[in-house]
Amino acid sequence: MDNEEHPDTEIDSHLAGSIYDLFAAPVAAHKPANSWNHVRIKMQDNHLQVWQNGISTTSIVIGSTTWNTLVKGSKFATWKNFATAEQGHIGLQDHGDKVWFKNIKIKEL
């Protein structure tokens, strides 16, 4: 996501590296458009941890009181079973713009 030029930059939790509409990634984790970002996602025992460019952007237990409160205040509040699957597919998000992904690796813990 181009954090400077994209029209959806008014809300911090919509910027690159954020958990969309839930958590805003720190500004220091963002690289400018046309730069590669490195993202690491770890999910173990419902504990979600995310790093972008070596900077922690998220650490939360899915299903916790804090998580549930954030979901209730987000666009996902009406999504039945949002983030409840214990296994399945990984979705890579874009906003209808050109996007590139490389070196995707998945490791079972």
Side-chain angles (χ1 to χ4, degrees), residues 7-25:
D8 189 17
T9 59
E10 298 297 318
I11 300 172
D12 289 345
S13 63
H14 291 189
L15 299 176
S18 299
I19 305 297
Y20 192 86
D21 219 27
L22 297 173
F23 292 94

Side-chain angles (χ1 to χ4, degrees), residues 28-104:
H30 303 164
K31 285 188 177 179
N34 297 315
S35 300
W36 286 108
N37 288 290
H38 178 265
V39 176
R40 179 175 180 232
I41 302 168
K42 180 180 179 183
M43 173 73 112
Q44 189 170 22
D45 300 325
N46 286 340
H47 183 196
L48 172 65
Q49 295 173 280
V50 181
W51 299 264
Q52 181 168 281
N53 301 315
I55 297 171
S56 175
T57 62
T58 302
S59 180
I60 192 162
V61 175
I62 293 180
S64 67
T65 302
T66 302
W67 172 265
N68 292 336
T69 299
L70 289 166
V71 171
K72 285 179 186 174
S74 76
K75 71 177 257 174
F76 305 110
T78 60
W79 290 31
K80 187 177 179 180
N81 299 320
F82 175 74
T84 60
E86 293 184 15
Q87 63 182 13
H89 301 282
I90 294 175
L92 302 174
Q93 182 178 343
D94 71 83
H95 282 80
D97 302 307
K98 289 182 182 180
V99 63
W100 294 265
F101 300 98
K102 69 176 185 173
N103 299 329
I104 298 170

